[in-house]
Amino acid sequence: MRILITNPDTIGDVVLREPLFRVLAEAGHELALIVRPLVQPLARAVAPGARIIELPIDVYGARVEPDDERLEPMIEAARGFEPDTIIGAPYTWTVLEHRLSAEFPETRRIGQAGGLFVDPWRIQPAEPTAPFDEIVRVNADLHELRKNEAIARTVLAKEVHLADPTLELGPELRDSADAVLAGLGLDRNTHTAACVGHSSSTEVRNWRPDRWVESLAHLMQSYERPVLLFGGRHEDDVTRKIGDGLEAKGLAPRYWIGEHEGDTLM
């Protein structure tokens, strides 16, 4: 069976889905993952052998409609995959899942009951119809691993227990990361990496910068452990603000900021 899985979110959510990808692949199914450019290098490590389809826009960000023409290359790639099943992996769905529902109305479509994602700074619209024909109903507070487990049970029609996520990086990625760290005067075992910035769409669920400053300052002062502040270019302003707060306390954080959205540090 060919299974198309939407992943419009970012790094943490995709890592937590590794056990879901693994159990579906081990059951003999062919996978294709729709992911943002930021996540593509990671997706290849999290789901070896899966086809990677790029999601060209942030469907959580500015107002995007299901018929947005920028989604056309992704839809064309999805058609080429000819999925037998489509899984909306996030608990809340987006215009991405609605577009796929319109494009593949006869395909089995599975998703969760979290409702349509709405920017928390906007007024909540009337609840639209779910873009799935099978809805997995789980408590919103359930751990993401258990939510993914419920999806796996629905797809495979049997009891499933997902182990914790594991991530095996190849030597090329390890060597690349070690080279970056060496250039910063660090090695992989003697520092704390902190991805603590945010973009405008993720600000609502992040700590305030001053709280990160206090927490990281305690770590650096109490344990004499260097901190590497890293993140994407879209998080740079907040990351630098946190770094400035640490420097004002006489501390010296290191920085690594990706040059483009697909440039991630492994």
Side-chain angles (χ1 to χ4, degrees), residues 177-197:
D178 286 342
V180 170
L181 292 173
L184 297 169
L186 301 170
D187 65 60
R188 69 174 71 167
N189 298 315
T190 60
H191 74 285
T192 297
C195 184
V196 294

Side-chain angles (χ1 to χ4, degrees), residues 126-144:
E127 187 67 21
T129 302
F132 313 113
D133 49 23
E134 296 180 51
I135 296 180
V136 179
R137 300 190 181 279
V138 294
N139 191 299
D141 296 330
L142 197 64
H143 191 283
E144 291 300 311

